[in-house]
Structures are given as structure tokens and as C-alpha cells.
Amino acid sequence: MTDHLRSLFSHSFNRRRFLTNAAALAGGLGASSLVDSHSVRAATLKTVRFSEAVHNLGYINLYVGMHAGIFKKNGLDMQVSAAGGDTQTFAAVLGGSADFAIGDATMAQISRENGGPGVVVGTVVQRAHYFGVSKTLQPITDPKGFKGLKIVTSPEPNTNYSVAKRLLEKAGLKVGVDATIVPVNPGTEIAAMLAGQADIAIAYQPSVAAAEAQGAKVVFDFSSYIGPFCNTGIMVLPTTIQKDPEMVQALVTSFEEASRKTYADPAFAKEVARKEFPDLPGDVVDKAIDAELKFLIPAQSVVTKKDQWQNLMDMQVYLGNAKGSIPFEQIIDNSFADKAVASLK
């Protein structure tokens, strides 16, 4: 974990000062709204300020829910913006500029371990949505095959950095000696690999499908390697739950319904994905959605399962990013997800 992240959540860090800084940071995150702005919003809808770590197809359930009108049906007007990383998206919640955030739920865990707030009320991505992509390598079946390679990922503590580092160390490879991790800005991993900065990029969809269209190949699949994994959780403050439990329930119910629709209607998911990524060829986006659903990457249900969470915590504890000291029942609030499932039977 970086010194910046440690200081961000440390006991000694002044919480009031952090909230001030987080609010200032989060205030600049709203430029990439994904939802058409309307000067006049329906008076019956509850405005929800929603922060996503990065705009990517791992979050297809969110986009399906918006385009299908599921959130609006449940009384919510979603104002979604991309934060630029996992730390930034949780900072938006802590700073008060977002009601909810989706990203690496370890951020909530770290906050709680250091006396701060944070609750996870659902899962959006249930497996590691990363693939090793290369133009020069053959498929890697044993993680020891990463020896001698330059690997490009987002910087620590983003999840693709974490999964890459743990894979190397579990294979007995020393980072910086046996293999090199080259950090780049989130979303630019593929471009860096194609430019020759690394042998392999650890990236997500639709960047992976776009790389394949340029002659690259998927040579390693993290979703199968890791198994069930709470890659992305819905994070919220306890004060928000106390203040407006109806909003929380409506949001979680919307995600449950959207998750089901994504798997039940892949054609609609592809239609939505093409709208969210209009700069990519349609066939590339379609291939990306096919891969997402094939590898069961988007959550099939918003309920956070113990094995998903345990695999996340095992990785983060191993890497020293978290202590894993908060019991599952205290950091995960499945009450809203359970009600959502019951209501949609």
C-alpha cells in the first residue's frame, strides 16, 4: 500500500482535515457524467450522487439499470460520474460529494479498521474482471510464466495492481527482480502495452476487446484464476443509511433487477454498452460483453457472498493493504440486498 493511502486512513490523520481535502478532491470529479443532464428533473425522483471508480464494462449492470429505466422506476435520478480510481471514488463518499461509490470495497474496510466509516451494501462485480493481454506472448497457464516480464497495470492500490502483485508473489517471483510492474493511469494499460512499455497489460473490458481487434491476445484470465471475488462493492456511509434507508433500498433493489436483466438479455446489454462506448466499433463492444458474461464477471445478484468477500480480504491482508479485522457481518450489510431478492421473486 502506498504511503499516501496509509496516511489517508491512518489513526493519526486528522479526520476533519481529510474530509475537507476529500470534498475538495471529489468536487472536481463530476466532469464525466454518464447521464444526460436535464435542467428540470421530475419532482418525484430522488437525486442520487453516484461515483464509479472508472467507466468500464465491469459495471455493465449499472448502465443496464440506467438505460432500462430501472433506477427511475424505483424513484431514483442517478447522477453518475467517474472518479478516476478506487481511492478517489471512496473519497467522494467520505467527502460528501457522492451518496454512493462503486470500486474496490477494501477502501471501506481500511476506513473501518482505522476508526472511520464505511459499509458495503452490495456487489457489482463478482469476479476479478482483469485479463492479461499481449501482442507477443503465448497463453500463460502457470503464473511462474510471468517471470522476466514487464507488466503494466493501474497504480497501487487499484485492484488490477493488487491482483498482479499477489499472483507474482504467490508464484515465488519477486516484484522488481523476477518481474516488473509498470504503473500507468487507469484505463491506459492497453495503450502502454501496445506502445512497447510492457510485455503484457492487466486490463478490463472493453479495452481488452479493443486490443484484440488490434492483434493482441488474451493470454491470462484472472477471473478463473481467483474465483469468486468481491472485485467491486457498493459503498455508503452509515449516516446515509440512517438518514435515508428508502433511498438505499431503492438503489440496491435497482442493482438486483439490473443484474438479472443483464444476464437474461445479453442483446440489450450489448445495445447499452454500444451507447456507453460510442467511440469503439460495435463488434468490439459486443465481444467485450460476451466475455464479461462468459466469465461471470458482473454480479449475478447484488448480495455479497462470504466467499467473494473472503477472497478479497485474503488478497488484501496478504499484500498488507488491510488487516481483515472487521468481521463480515459488521462491514457487509446484506439486509437491503436480501429484501431486494425477496421482492423480485
Side-chain angles (χ1 to χ4, degrees):
M1 178 165 53
T2 61
D3 290 339
H4 170 70
L5 186 62
R6 291 185 188 280
S7 67
L8 191 65
F9 294 107
S10 68
H11 281 295
S12 60
F13 196 84
N14 183 279
R15 175 159 172 73
R16 179 174 298 177
R17 186 175 122 211
F18 170 67
L19 288 175
T20 300
N21 291 344
L25 169 66
L29 300 180
S32 52
S33 176
L34 306 179
V35 187
D36 291 336
S37 298
H38 299 284
S39 58
V40 179
R41 299 186 182 275
T44 57
L45 296 182
K46 173 78 176 183
T47 298
V48 176
R49 301 166 303 163
F50 194 93
S51 176
E52 61 174 359
V54 290
H55 192 45
N56 73 94
L57 284 182
Y59 302 163
I60 186 61
N61 293 348
L62 168 64
Y63 313 141
V64 164
M66 291 194 298
H67 285 271
I70 293 171
F71 291 99
K72 286 188 176 181
K73 181 187 70 174
N74 288 314
L76 304 180
D77 177 16
M78 299 288 284
Q79 296 184 354
V80 182
S81 60
D86 293 313
T87 305
Q88 296 94 319
T89 198
F90 188 59
V93 169
L94 285 177
S97 66
D99 301 304
F100 300 91
I102 55 172
D104 184 351
T106 307
M107 301 300 111
Q109 175 80 11
I110 295 171
S111 177
R112 288 288 295 278
E113 289 177 354
N114 289 283
V119 177
V120 178
V121 293
T123 293
V124 177
V125 180
Q126 66 183 10
R127 286 183 177 254
H129 65 136
Y130 303 107
F131 298 89
V133 184
S134 176
K135 286 199 76 169
T136 59
L137 301 175
Q138 294 301 310
I140 299 172
T141 57
D142 185 337
K144 289 183 172 60
F146 282 83
K147 185 173 182 178
L149 300 182
K150 283 188 176 181
I151 305 157
V152 64
T153 77
S154 302
E156 190 178 16
N158 287 285
T159 317
N160 57 343
Y161 184 101
S162 297
V163 298
K165 183 178 180 182
R166 191 190 191 205
L167 176 141
L168 295 175
E169 293 185 350
K170 283 290 188 180
L173 304 178
K174 188 174 181 179
V175 177
V177 177
D178 298 312
T180 303
I181 295 180
V182 180
V184 297
N185 290 331
T188 66
E189 299 90 351
I190 292 293
M193 180 272 295
L194 293 176
Q197 295 182 36
D199 303 295
I200 184 170
I202 310 302
Y204 37 77
Q205 299 288 4
S207 298
V208 173
E212 290 180 290
Q214 298 179 65
K217 297 179 295 183
V218 171
V219 297
F220 193 82
D221 161 30
F222 281 89
S223 64
S224 299
Y225 172 74
I226 296 176
F229 185 71
C230 183
N231 191 103
T232 302
I234 305 171
M235 295 173 282
V236 63
L237 299 184
T239 51
T240 301
I241 294 176
Q242 294 164 7
K243 179 181 178 182
D244 199 343
E246 293 82 7
M247 175 181 68
V248 179
Q249 186 63 67
L251 182 116
V252 174
T253 298
S254 297
F255 265 101
E256 178 66 25
E257 188 172 347
S259 298
R260 298 182 186 194
K261 184 171 181 60
T262 298
Y263 280 92
D265 193 352
F268 182 74
K270 291 176 181 178
E271 178 184 334
V272 167
R274 288 184 179 214
K275 292 177 180 177
E276 290 294 327
F277 294 89
D279 294 335
L280 291 177
D283 59 339
V284 168
V285 176
D286 290 351
K287 185 174 182 179
I289 290 296
D290 285 337
E292 290 286 300
L293 300 184
K294 174 184 176 181
F295 291 100
L296 302 178
I297 290 171
Q300 293 165 289
S301 172
V302 75
V303 175
T304 303
K305 298 178 181 178
K306 286 189 176 182
D307 59 349
Q308 297 169 349
W309 186 254
Q310 191 60 52
N311 279 342
L312 173 66
M313 285 299 101
D314 286 348
M315 181 185 75
Q316 298 293 11
V317 170
Y318 173 84
L319 293 173
N321 291 338
K323 301 173 185 176
S325 58
I326 308 298
F328 176 86
E329 293 76 11
Q330 293 184 21
I331 187 75
I332 305 296
D333 182 351
N334 269 329
S335 63
F336 298 99
D338 290 338
K339 289 179 182 177
V341 170
S343 71
L344 295 172
K345 284 184 178 178

